[in-house]
Amino acid sequence: MNYDDTGVRCTMLRGGTSRGLFFEARDLPADPAERDDLLLRLMGTPDPRQIDGLGGATSLTSKVAVVGPSGHPDADVDYLFLQLGVDEAAVSDKQNCGNVLAGVGPFAVERGLVPAGDRETRVRIRMVNSDSLATATFPTPGGRVEYRGGVAVAGVPGTAAPVVLDFAGTEGSATGALLPTGNVRDHVAGVDVTCVDNGMPVVLALASSLGLTGYESHEDLAADTGLLQRVDALRVEAGALMGLGDVTGSSVPKTILLSPAADGGHLCTRSFIPVHPHTSIGVLAAVSAVTGVLLPGAVGHELTRHWPSGTTTVDVEHPSGHLLADVVVDATVDPPRAVRSGVVRTARKLFDGTAYPRA
């Protein structure tokens, strides 16, 4: 098919603090190389402004969801997440995206892949990248997706309807183990770290171990080239220990710097994707970070000392505000295991129509 002439059916949705192009799998080329070429041309990559495409000139707005019927007995749809580069012609399937995930259920209902309930709809989603499962629950009064609502998500203007995401089987999403190095704590590039993978492989370190307070603004972090070089060296060395091979140029693992809460939450974070500072924090990165600090002996576990007993819903502070992550970990077994995780996000349909690729 000549997509240059016909274009391709596309829906753009904001999911959480990300924005992505959503496609039905049947509408894209079956060959991954042809698919990726088409997506890069639709997004306007490579170009730091993405001026000739639909990208927003940031990694948070250069994302794609490919959705189709699932053959898994416990899933209604399959969701493949693809992270596209901005100034580099790169397409990666090495990670999930929990923010874009918030739009998958509504998209599936909009496209007739899943029937809508009269009041709300539950869509069971297989995250193809990690072969793990998530359930999205969202309002569908009268059998139509309702995007309007009163839930605020830090980093997103206004309010919208809630999309409740519950995860299963996210343990070891990219590495095969909750603690991919086999240790609760490692010493990497001169810094104590905890490497954890509960939906997103992350490297946790105390902000103070890199000479930071942990409360620096996004702009201050982005301007500190020495820090960004240290973060990259740290994650490259940790990535090898995590069994990810040479992660130079890869989008994973993420690095998350931890510090005591400063705005009424439980934990303060500064996240990097993978080297540039994040304006907030990714959903599954937050879940993995909370999972890590809940483990005795892990980096940051001392920050839980003053949390109320039995806390499972953790308020994660980030540069744009707060994210609530519900995480339960069983640390009494060896190795420890993730019992439950979930978050509340929102989504909004921005357009539905035909997208035309750059020639």
Side-chain angles (χ1 to χ4, degrees):
M1 181 182 293
N2 186 351
Y3 292 96
D4 293 9
D5 295 332
T6 65
V8 59
R9 178 86 185 276
C10 174
T11 300
M12 179 182 282
L13 290 106
R14 175 193 59 77
T17 54
S18 294
R19 193 182 77 203
L21 304 182
F22 286 65
F23 301 92
E24 287 189 64
R26 65 182 181 180
D27 292 332
L28 294 175
D31 178 71
E34 291 181 25
R35 177 201 66 200
D36 292 353
D37 174 70
L38 173 63
L39 295 176
L40 289 168
R41 293 188 293 123
L42 286 166
M43 198 69 76
T45 298
D47 173 19
R49 298 179 300 163
Q50 292 181 320
I51 198 69
D52 201 27
L54 295 169
T58 74
S59 61
L60 300 180
T61 55
S62 193
K63 300 185 175 190
V64 166
V66 182
V67 182
S70 180
H72 193 288
D74 297 321
D76 301 308
V77 295
D78 282 351
Y79 153 54
L80 172 67
F81 171 70
L82 298 172
Q83 177 69 62
L84 273 64
V86 176
D87 52 0
E88 295 182 6
V91 181
S92 174
D93 63 359
K94 292 184 178 180
Q95 65 181 80
N96 290 311
C97 179
N99 277 304
V100 168
L101 174 66
V104 172
F107 175 78
V109 169
E110 295 266 15
R111 291 296 185 88
L113 297 171
V114 177
D118 289 335
R119 295 171 60 96
E120 68 175 22
T121 301
R122 296 175 69 252
V123 177
R124 302 171 304 164
I125 302 162
R126 183 173 79 97
M127 297 183 286
V128 175
N129 305 68
S130 58
D131 196 27
S132 52
L133 300 173
T135 300
T137 306
F138 49 94
T140 51
R144 295 175 62 88
V145 178
E146 177 59 82
Y147 294 100
R148 296 168 298 179
V151 174
V153 170
V156 179
T159 61
V163 179
V164 180
L165 300 173
D166 295 300
F167 301 105
T170 52
E171 195 174 295
S173 64
T175 64
L178 186 67
L179 295 173
T181 70
N183 305 314
V184 174
R185 183 182 290 247
D186 292 283
H187 195 70
V188 176
V191 176
D192 278 352
V193 302
T194 290
C195 300
V196 60
D197 179 5
N198 190 18
M200 177 69 69
V202 301
V203 183
L204 305 179
L206 294 177
S208 58
S209 67
L210 275 77
L212 303 173
T213 65
Y215 312 120
E216 288 80 4
S217 69
H218 170 266
E219 292 74 19
D220 287 344
L221 294 174
D224 191 340
T225 55
L227 170 67
L228 302 186
Q229 290 171 354
R230 286 195 69 189
V231 167
D232 196 30
L234 176 67
R235 71 173 208 93
V236 167
E237 186 173 333
L241 289 177
M242 297 168 79
L244 294 169
D246 182 2
V247 299
T248 304
S250 172
S251 58
V252 292
K254 314 294 191 199
T255 305
I256 301 177
L257 304 183
L258 310 172
S259 53
D263 189 36
H266 293 102
L267 180 70
C268 187
T269 63
R270 292 295 184 265
S271 177
F272 297 80
I273 52 168
V275 178
H276 299 292
H278 201 316
T279 54
S280 56
I281 188 171
V283 168
L284 290 165
V287 166
S288 289
V290 172
T291 301
V293 300
L294 289 174
L295 300 175
V299 168
H301 182 68
E302 63 274 19
L303 301 177
T304 70
R305 191 174 302 141
H306 302 296
W307 294 4
S309 177
T311 296
T312 60
T313 300
V314 177
D315 185 333
V316 179
E317 299 174 2
H318 55 76
S320 300
H322 297 248
L323 183 151
L324 297 179
D326 180 55
V327 178
V328 176
V329 176
D330 185 355
T332 65
V333 295
D334 186 18
R337 54 181 293 269
V339 177
R340 184 183 77 238
S341 59
V343 296
V344 177
R345 298 274 84 185
T346 66
R348 189 171 82 84
K349 182 171 66 171
L350 304 179
F351 82 72
D352 180 72
T354 302
Y356 291 88
R358 181 186 64 233

